[in-house]
Amino acid sequence: MAIMSRSYRLFALVGLSVTSRVSATVTCNLTVDNAIQSMWYNGEVVTARGVYNNWQSIKILTFTEVPGAVLEITAEEYGTCGYGCQTAGLLMVCESPESSSCWNGYRSNNDFTFTKTSGSCFTINRDAITDDDLSAPCSSTSAFYMTGAGDAVKVWPRNGGRYAYFRLAGNVCPPTSSPTQAPTRNPTAMPTMLPTTFTTTTTTTFTTHTVVQGLGREVSQMQMAQNELMSRLSTMSQMLSSTTSALVQSNATLRALISTNAQCCSSATSSINAIRSAVASVISALPPVPTAPQTSTACLGGASAEGNTCSGAVEQRDSGEVRIKAPRSTITLESAECGVINPCETRATVRGIVNALQALSGASSSP
């Protein structure tokens, strides 16, 4: 009885796998020649990893399946309007770990049931698109490609417009080619030791289908993982290239600064040496600095110094005074301009006065 119960549940599970739809995580790899503009799923904006305006960068989009929801994409071709079926296109493949997901194994195609498009030579307003604007796409002959696309079809609006709108429906599950037979309403109490040909054939078909489906899903997931890895490697390569360019630029700038600083230092050194030479020339051309006055007494007119006084007739002191001694008196000459009078001229003048006074003194003392 237990064996019968398990067998019944097995057949029931197979039947559900064909007809049921469950919410599942869906991952799509896609690219557009030339650029994706925006994407929506179930009316909400969604974002993919990858570079939108580079068809060689595979965009990776992940969303949670909602029964009846559609994926909408707006895209742009950079070439002349009207030639999109030759120069533009969309490629997309989707997988899901849930075999019952209607996006599992999805490939872009030109079947109007799954793919509806609208094209224009002007930017498309998604909110203004109506069902009357939609038509089946063309199969584009553009040379772009995507790794892992398999049998996916490059699609674009039939009118070849520069701007394209796609409405992609993965929620319509295609019928299975070999549906499972419904279980008997009254199964036998014990299965026969040697199953009938029908039972054996059904079991073999189910096993083969399961294995092939599992292998296909594994291969698809490996391809998607490889595409994601290639996308990341491409991004890292671009970052490395940018970093290398920045380093080369910085190195060139640094070398230029070093060269400029060396030239400036050389010019500064030459200028300093020239200034030094000029200062030395000016110093050598200056007259000798007069020595400070000594604390001594200078005697004129052939008189000799005794201590701080002169024994002769004339005495010149450091303060600028000149004393003239006669036999009966002493004459002191002071000048308010001593600080600005040339000492040599002053001495010459004083000598003349002294000589005249000495002559007068000698004449008055003779008998």
Side-chain angles (χ1 to χ4, degrees):
M1 191 66 174
I3 295 176
M4 179 188 69
S5 177
R6 283 197 296 270
S7 299
Y8 181 80
R9 280 197 292 271
L10 175 61
F11 280 111
L13 176 62
V14 172
L16 286 174
S17 67
V18 174
T19 59
S20 65
R21 298 175 185 174
V22 297
S23 296
T25 299
V26 178
T27 302
C28 299
N29 286 5
L30 68 152
T31 192
V32 167
D33 179 11
N34 288 106
I36 293 175
Q37 292 180 321
S38 300
M39 291 185 286
W40 300 263
Y41 179 71
N42 195 32
E44 301 292 333
V45 174
V46 291
T47 304
R49 299 194 302 274
V51 182
Y52 278 21
N53 61 354
N54 180 3
W55 68 263
Q56 293 177 314
S57 172
I58 298 175
K59 274 62 74 176
I60 302 173
L61 174 66
T62 303
F63 58 87
T64 300
E65 180 178 359
V66 176
V70 295
L71 176 64
E72 300 169 271
I73 301 174
T74 54
E76 178 183 358
E77 155 63 20
Y78 293 159
T80 304
C81 185
Y83 295 91
C85 291
Q86 293 80 38
T87 61
L90 164 73
L91 269 175
M92 187 172 80
V93 298
C94 299
E95 300 293 342
S96 173
E98 294 290 341
S99 59
S100 60
S101 169
C102 293
W103 287 95
N104 189 31
Y106 176 88
R107 301 289 183 269
S108 55
N109 55 81
N110 53 11
D111 187 339
F112 184 69
T113 303
F114 299 93
T115 309
K116 297 176 174 59
T117 62
S118 178
S120 173
C121 291
F122 306 97
T123 303
I124 292 177
N125 181 4
R126 169 216 175 215
D127 297 328
I129 295 292
T130 65
D131 291 341
D132 294 336
D133 298 323
L134 302 175
S135 62
C138 66
S139 297
S140 173
T141 57
S142 173
F144 82 102
Y145 60 89
M146 182 178 73
T147 304
D151 58 351
V153 178
K154 304 172 187 177
V155 293
W156 197 257
R158 285 187 178 276
N159 63 2
R162 280 192 60 193
Y163 299 93
Y165 169 83
F166 298 91
R167 183 180 294 174
L168 309 176
N171 59 305
V172 180
C173 291
T176 58
S177 57
S178 300
T180 305
Q181 299 293 332
T184 59
R185 302 184 67 84
N186 296 308
T188 58
M190 288 289 290
T192 58
M193 297 297 293
L194 296 174
T196 60
T197 303
F198 171 78
T199 304
T200 303
T201 302
T202 303
T203 304
T204 303
T205 301
F206 166 72
T207 304
T208 303
H209 173 72
T210 303
V211 171
V212 170
Q213 187 182 42
L215 288 176
R217 184 163 58 250
E218 291 294 330
V219 170
S220 297
Q221 290 176 351
M222 290 175 63
Q223 287 179 340
M224 294 177 71
Q226 180 184 6
N227 292 338
E228 183 173 3
L229 178 61
M230 293 298 294
S231 177
R232 292 184 178 181
L233 288 176
S234 176
T235 302
M236 292 174 64
S237 176
Q238 292 176 2
M239 293 175 62
L240 180 60
S241 176
S242 300
T243 303
T244 302
S245 299
L247 288 175
V248 170
Q249 179 98 25
S250 299
N251 186 38
T253 303
L254 183 58
R255 288 180 177 273
L257 287 174
I258 291 174
S259 176
T260 302
N261 287 337
Q263 294 175 1
C264 290
C265 290
S266 176
S267 300
T269 302
S270 300
S271 299
I272 290 172
N273 291 335
I275 291 172
R276 285 179 177 173
S277 299
V279 170
S281 299
V282 171
I283 291 174
S284 62
L286 290 175
V289 178
T291 56
Q294 303 295 322
T295 56
S296 63
T297 300
C299 298
L300 302 178
S304 59
E306 296 179 359
N308 199 31
T309 61
C310 293
S311 60
V314 180
E315 176 185 330
Q316 181 180 358
R317 294 182 173 274
D318 295 336
S319 62
E321 297 178 348
V322 176
R323 292 186 179 183
I324 302 173
K325 295 182 178 181
R328 298 183 179 87
S329 62
T330 298
I331 301 173
T332 300
L333 301 178
E334 296 181 355
S335 174
E337 294 83 10
C338 286
V340 297
I341 295 177
N342 189 314
C344 295
E345 295 177 358
T346 304
R347 287 190 179 185
T349 303
V350 171
R351 274 206 185 97
I353 296 172
V354 168
N355 291 335
L357 291 174
Q358 285 179 343
L360 291 174
S361 177
S364 61
S365 60
S366 62

